[in-house]
């Protein structure tokens, strides 16, 4: 057993040396696939639906049939959804299924986006001085944390909200460390926030603390000025 451990140790050391000899771009690609492949395998080996998943699939089917963002009541009539339901996720499912995505392909795509957001965060931290070895440890923690990995196989909104949470965290780090580009970074923050709210309105709770920190750091006047500037640009595009 001692010999086997030594063989394993030297094997892992050889792999680590090989990894360290690669250029940074190759390392990012390897990290991406090491994080995304277990998720996709996890999805295809397990059930992906819950009661909420079936509800979203039914709404997406109603959209396909021309019923819109609605459910069918006991009389088989379309009845618009109101209250805490927002349309982004059912429309997201409808769009993917309209281009021939299977049910399991949808969370697979979401997992790819999720790992992409993690890589974006790690790249941001690396650019602002976090040591390379700590980047790899953080990649493992974020990629396989129960919050991230556990829900990744389900057809639910939560994995998508996780994506926006990670993206927003990266943008707030940029906002804090590089105030020179305040306007552009803050515009992205507002866009990400609006999109995440259209998926799930309660996601605003995740953003409020960051906005309070921004107000404290830059002042209420600058906060409101950039917010109005971003809204004006958003409406002018439409």
């Amino acid at each position: 057993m001692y010999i086997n451990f030594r063989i394993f140790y030297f094997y892992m050391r050889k792999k680590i040396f090989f990894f360290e000899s690669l250029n940074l771009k190759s390392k990012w690609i390897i990290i991406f696939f090491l994080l995304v492949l277990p998720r996709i395998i996890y999805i295809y080996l397990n059930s992906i639906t819950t009661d909420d998943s079936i509800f979203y699939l039914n709404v997406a089917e109603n959209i396909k049939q021309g019923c819109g963002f609605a459910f069918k009541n006991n009389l088989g009539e379309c009845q618009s959804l109101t209250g805490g339901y927002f349309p982004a996720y059912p429309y997201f499912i409808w769009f993917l299924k309209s281009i021939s995505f299977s049910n399991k392909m949808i969370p697979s795509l979401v997992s790819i986006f999720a790992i992409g957001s993690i890589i974006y965060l790690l790249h941001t931290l690396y650019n602002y001085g976090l040591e390379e070895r700590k980047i790899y440890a953080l990649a493992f923690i974020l990629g396989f944390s129960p919050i991230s990995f556990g829900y990744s196989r389900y057809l639910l909104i939560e994995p998508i909200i996780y994506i926006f949470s990670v993206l927003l965290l990266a943008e707030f780090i940029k906002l804090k460390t590089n105030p020179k580009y305040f306007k552009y970074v803050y515009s992205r923050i507002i866009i990400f926030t609006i999109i995440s709210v259209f998926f799930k309105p309660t996601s605003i709770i995740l953003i409020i603390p960051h906005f309070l920190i921004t107000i404290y750091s830059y002042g209420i006047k600058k906060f409101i000025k950039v917010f109005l500037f971003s809204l004006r640009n958003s409406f002018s595009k439409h």
Side-chain angles (χ1 to χ4, degrees):
M1 184 174 179
Y2 175 71
I3 295 175
N4 288 338
F5 176 77
R6 289 190 63 184
I7 292 172
F8 176 75
Y9 173 78
F10 285 117
Y11 173 80
M12 290 304 298
R13 290 297 300 170
K14 185 177 180 181
K15 293 297 182 184
I16 291 170
F17 287 139
F18 169 75
F19 182 77
E20 290 178 344
S21 68
L22 297 173
N23 59 49
L24 188 60
K25 183 178 180 180
S26 298
K27 290 177 183 179
W28 286 125
I29 293 172
I30 290 173
I31 291 171
F32 175 83
F33 281 105
L34 285 176
L35 295 180
V36 80
L37 287 177
R39 289 178 179 238
I40 293 177
I41 293 170
Y42 183 53
I43 289 166
Y44 279 88
L45 292 181
N46 292 278
S47 171
I48 63 166
T49 57
T50 65
D51 290 341
D52 286 341
S53 305
I54 294 170
F55 171 77
Y56 296 130
L57 288 168
N58 287 338
V59 175
E61 182 63 25
N62 290 337
I63 294 170
K64 178 183 176 181
Q65 295 177 2
C67 196
F69 181 57
F71 69 97
K72 289 186 178 178
N73 59 26
N74 295 332
L75 300 175
E77 300 171 339
C78 296
Q79 188 170 331
S80 297
L81 286 166
T82 56
Y85 297 105
F86 273 45
Y89 191 57
Y91 273 98
F92 175 73
I93 294 175
W94 164 79
F95 171 74
L96 292 180
K97 291 183 78 67
S98 70
I99 56 174
S100 301
F101 268 56
S102 67
N103 286 350
K104 292 206 171 186
M105 288 173 68
I106 296 173
S108 297
L109 179 64
V110 172
S111 288
I112 291 171
F113 287 149
I115 300 304
S117 70
I118 290 173
I119 296 296
Y120 182 70
L121 172 61
L122 295 174
H123 190 265
T124 300
L125 292 170
Y126 177 80
N127 286 340
Y128 290 114
L130 189 64
E131 294 178 14
E132 196 169 324
R133 288 181 179 272
K134 292 181 179 179
I135 290 290
Y136 305 145
L138 188 58
F140 179 83
I141 292 170
L142 293 175
F144 295 102
S145 70
I147 295 174
S148 170
F149 194 88
Y151 278 96
S152 64
R153 72 182 171 100
Y154 290 115
L155 267 168
L156 293 173
I157 296 176
E158 281 72 16
I160 293 180
I161 299 304
Y162 176 83
I163 294 171
F164 285 108
S165 299
V166 174
L167 290 175
L168 283 164
L169 179 58
E171 295 301 335
F172 278 110
I173 290 171
K174 290 181 179 181
L175 196 67
K176 183 66 177 177
T177 55
N178 199 349
K180 179 181 177 181
Y181 299 103
F182 180 93
K183 182 187 298 183
Y184 305 104
V185 176
Y186 194 56
S187 296
R188 290 199 296 270
I189 289 172
I190 292 173
I191 291 169
F192 288 153
T193 301
I194 292 171
I195 296 173
S196 66
V197 167
F198 269 102
F199 275 92
K200 192 170 185 178
T202 53
S203 65
I204 193 68
I205 296 172
L206 302 173
I207 290 101
I208 288 175
H210 298 294
F211 279 131
L212 293 176
I213 293 170
T214 305
I215 293 172
Y216 177 79
S217 301
Y218 294 98
I220 187 68
K221 185 176 179 180
K222 190 170 185 178
F223 178 89
I224 295 173
K225 182 179 178 181
V226 177
F227 179 76
L228 294 175
F229 172 82
S230 302
L231 285 180
R232 186 187 66 182
N233 283 353
S234 299
F235 283 115
S236 64
K237 290 178 181 178
H238 296 289

